[in-house]
Amino acid sequence: MSDVLTVHGGTPLRGEVQVRGAKNLVSKAMVASLLGESVSRLRGVPEIADVRIVSGLLELHGVDVSGGPDDGELVLDPTNVERAHVADIDAHAGSSRIPILFCGPLLHRLGEAFIPDLGGCRIGERPINYHMDVLRQFGAEVEKRPEGLRIHAPKRLQGTKIALPFPSVGATEQVLLTAVRAEGLTELRNAATEPEILDLIAVLQKMGAIISVDIDRVVRIEGVDRLEGFNHRAIPDRIEAASWASAAFATRGEIFVEGASQPDMMTFLNVFRKIGGAFEVDDRGIRFWRDADPKRAVVLETDVHPGFMTDWQQPLVVALTQTSGLSIVHETVYENRLGFTRALNDMGATIQLYRECLGGLPCRFGQRNFLHSAVVSGPTKLHGAEIEVPDLRGGFSYLIAALAAEGDSRVHGIELIYRGYERFLDKLDAVGANYERG
Ligand code: EPU
């Protein structure tokens, strides 16, 4: 049964929330602990479902995981890494895509890995072809079985030259987590360089890896024979921070996001300012509100870093329904990340989707029949509705819309939001949201 929230909209959100470590770094750093011969300590760990899923998978493979989100620190001891039963892996994988990143570390430690059917948000087809190609290039063999994929390394994996067709975050992480203990040099071209990836590289360097990152998306990794544990504080979650900023804007409130970090949010902050958002940065975080000046529409294209993150797109679109004029959004990372706008239209928004690339450059989805561009006409009055959470970021965006709308909304399936937004109900309380469960 899905969890329901009844939201009474129309109250500006005012107050303070805290963001901790980035979901998209924490889960990967946890996987990296498998590569070490000694204990790792990770701080700033948020209380989200993805951390529980990865902890469960690590424990299945013999890693002792202690500590927890209450004090924000995990202690990961990989001394007794062992094979796990296929059925157990399957049961633990939940709706996460992280199991695929276990491949490299498990191939080094055990010579084989098993990958169940992957979950994750339904924001596009999300194939794993880059991952499998990368692993084969290192010398691994991939075998399809009815219950998933079995990957094994007949001998030590070998460093190699790889060029990704697209700077995929996950495939870049796959290369990093595999190359650090492969024999010899690996050169990765067209790598993703998101701050979370640079933070993962920092983790691996602490463990003993040798990795250089050039400005032209080329990453070079010199394989080493042994890695130790790490001691690391995760970078803050810039997606969560931007989500609260969008909530402050859409509800005409003011939210101080403790822990929000300006350098990793530069591109978001520029767009936020252009649409009439205001912010003030201090040593503790960033305060977001909405300027009194007339609001302007924007032309926006999502892209890999340092572009505008695809994960910022969904909450920002809700904010765009409250700006004046026609905004254009071209989603170039996921082919189906604008589908969530249908429910916003049911709430009174005017958002038209297009198959054409409405941005400056044609993208991979241009001639392929995907509704991946949007024209958002604002400002529109939103009204309460019955809505079903479609995916993690879309779900939080619906909450923002419901909080900005006049009247009551019932948001179904809020359990999905726990995957990436820790204690979000407590945080809604802290900013004065008016809602009840059920
Ligand atoms: N792609 C392929 N083949 C592959 C891998 C990716 O075609 O083998 C395509 C994807 O279909 C997509 C594009 O490449 O069109 C980019 O995907 P990427 O691999 O970069 O995404 P990911 O690693 O699966 C991570 C985050 C996402 C975030 C993206 C982009 C995690 C666990 N997930 O996904 O986060 O949107 O990078 O920044 O790190 C979220 O947090 O809500 C979320 C979805």
Side-chain angles (χ1 to χ4, degrees), residues 23-24 28 97-98 121 123 126-131 166-171 173 194 239 309-311 333-335 337 364-365 392-393:
K23 157 183 160 298
N24 292 347
K28 327 295 171 64
R97 297 183 62 75
I98 302 297
C121 288
I123 49 185
R126 306 191 81 179
I128 55 168
N129 52 331
Y130 302 166
H131 294 257
F166 181 80
S168 148
V169 168
E173 292 159 344
E194 269 58 11
I239 309 177
M309 282 186 98
T310 170
D311 307 274
V333 180
Y334 286 112
E335 65 273 29
R337 213 170 194 174
R364 295 171 296 150
F365 314 132
L392 171 62
R393 308 295 167 196

Side-chain angles (χ1 to χ4, degrees), residues 199-214:
D199 209 34
L200 178 63
I201 291 175
V203 166
L204 293 168
Q205 190 180 49
K206 285 176 175 175
M207 298 177 80
I210 302 171
I211 304 172
S212 66
V213 183
D214 289 350

Side-chain angles (χ1 to χ4, degrees), residues 300-301 327-332 334-335 338 341 351-359 363 365-366 370-376:
L300 179 72
E301 210 159 12
S327 288
I328 296 175
V329 179
H330 182 206
E331 169 60 61
T332 78
Y334 286 112
E335 65 273 29
L338 285 168
T341 55
I351 303 171
Q352 180 83 41
L353 299 187
Y354 294 88
R355 292 189 165 76
E356 291 77 9
C357 296
L358 295 187
C363 76
F365 314 132
F370 297 118
L371 291 165
H372 72 292
S373 296
V375 175
V376 186

